[in-house]
Amino acid sequence: AACGSDEKVADKANIAGVVAGAQSEVVIGMLDMNQMLILDTLQTGPDGSFNYELEVKKGNPEFVYVYSDGRKVTSLLLDAGDKVSFTVDADGNSVIEGSEESALVAEFSHDYFASVDELANIAENQLPTIGNNRQLELRAYELAREAMLKQMRFVGSHQDCVASIYALHHKVAEQYIPQLEGQGINIVHYNSVLEGIKAKYPTSPYIDMLNRDIEYATMLLTAPESLYPNISLTDINRNAHNLSDYKGK
């Protein structure tokens, strides 16, 4: 699916939001590569509503976040000309309209974390309480695989969307199931997104970031095997064993 539009618009985006339960204000933040910039603090109406306009250069979608009472209530990805409206209910569920990239971020987050949240509950709450449980362990593995497949399908379907950069950098499933490391998102996915972003958003600062990610991943793949000192240890029968004797085993 293609993202973005070639229509000429002003370098601005508008947000009209309603955050249920917002006490009196919301905070607008923007991601500047690796750091969060606070753009503004806004007073909300009695129903938690607010409006905000910000500068966004055409062809350089920006990650924008809305916080209420110290918690992030929605994630947006805004391009120039976007007039996004969203509502967040008391349970934290959101509906987003008027921004294609923002809707994709919401779609990925909903699908990916549906699996990851259940995985986290099993790993952090159930297994520590119950102990070894083969059925739960298998379910955790299935959920991790499910999350990784959702991630790969999303990236494969939206290679020219900045939302795919958001999807690329999630490693939650692998953190819980380390055995799956390397079986999900890989350098091929990064390269496909890089080519898609270069074609659709040639001035995006995320092109340099993707190039750095690919360079680092390539370096790890091609790095020579680490050499360890040839230590010698004695077993319980007083037989000596050299580390070098086990090379390749």
Side-chain angles (χ1 to χ4, degrees):
C3 285
S5 168
D6 295 327
E7 180 185 355
K8 291 185 178 181
V9 294
D11 288 344
K12 294 182 181 297
N14 185 268
I15 305 171
V18 178
V19 181
Q23 297 299 313
S24 61
E25 63 183 31
V26 293
V27 176
I28 310 295
M30 177 185 287
L31 185 64
D32 182 15
M33 300 307 286
N34 295 319
Q35 63 178 342
M36 184 65 66
L37 303 178
I38 301 302
L39 299 182
D40 214 336
T41 299
L42 307 174
Q43 298 298 310
T44 63
D47 61 348
S49 62
F50 70 93
N51 281 275
Y52 186 68
E53 185 177 78
L54 67 156
E55 292 188 3
V56 180
K57 292 183 179 179
K58 178 64 181 174
N60 288 335
E62 299 280 5
F63 288 97
V64 177
Y65 303 95
V66 181
Y67 299 86
S68 175
D69 302 325
R71 63 186 179 90
K72 182 171 67 178
V73 294
T74 196
S75 302
L76 304 172
L77 182 49
L78 303 179
D79 199 1
D82 282 352
K83 296 181 179 179
V84 62
S85 62
F86 74 89
T87 58
V88 180
D89 65 22
D91 295 323
N93 302 308
S94 62
V95 177
I96 299 174
E97 298 177 342
S99 170
E100 183 181 13
E101 290 271 15
S102 295
L104 286 173
V105 168
E107 175 190 327
F108 170 76
S109 297
H110 178 271
D111 291 346
Y112 182 77
F113 285 101
S115 301
V116 165
D117 287 348
E118 185 180 348
L119 168 61
N121 182 48
I122 292 174
E124 296 178 10
N125 300 320
Q126 298 184 48
L127 285 175
T129 302
I130 299 173
N132 293 334
N133 182 298
R134 184 60 176 167
Q135 186 174 355
L136 277 179
E137 290 172 352
L138 287 174
R139 178 57 181 159
Y141 183 88
E142 290 171 359
L143 288 165
R145 284 287 301 155
E146 182 180 277
M148 293 165 70
L149 287 172
K150 289 177 179 178
Q151 186 180 22
M152 288 187 286
R153 282 197 295 266
F154 181 89
V155 170
S157 300
H158 304 94
Q159 295 175 11
D160 63 348
C161 301
V162 179
S164 282
I165 298 176
Y166 173 81
L168 280 175
H169 288 88
H170 283 74
K171 290 283 188 180
V172 183
E174 293 92 327
Q175 290 173 2
Y176 284 110
I177 312 292
Q179 300 93 318
L180 292 176
E181 184 68 43
Q183 297 183 35
I185 292 294
N186 57 45
I187 195 170
V188 175
H189 297 96
Y190 275 83
N191 273 309
S192 66
V193 172
L194 173 62
E195 293 308 311
I197 296 298
K198 284 166 65 177
K200 191 64 187 181
Y201 300 116
T203 61
S204 172
Y206 290 104
I207 291 174
D208 287 341
M209 185 190 75
L210 287 168
N211 275 316
R212 289 194 298 271
D213 289 341
I214 292 168
E215 182 181 353
Y216 179 71
T218 302
M219 181 181 68
L220 291 179
L221 288 172
T222 58
E225 183 179 350
S226 298
L227 298 177
Y228 295 90
N230 184 30
I231 61 174
S232 179
L233 297 173
T234 303
D235 64 19
I236 59 175
N237 296 315
R238 296 185 179 181
N239 296 316
H241 297 269
N242 297 314
L243 182 60
S244 59
D245 295 337
Y246 296 87
K247 183 177 181 180
K249 297 183 180 180

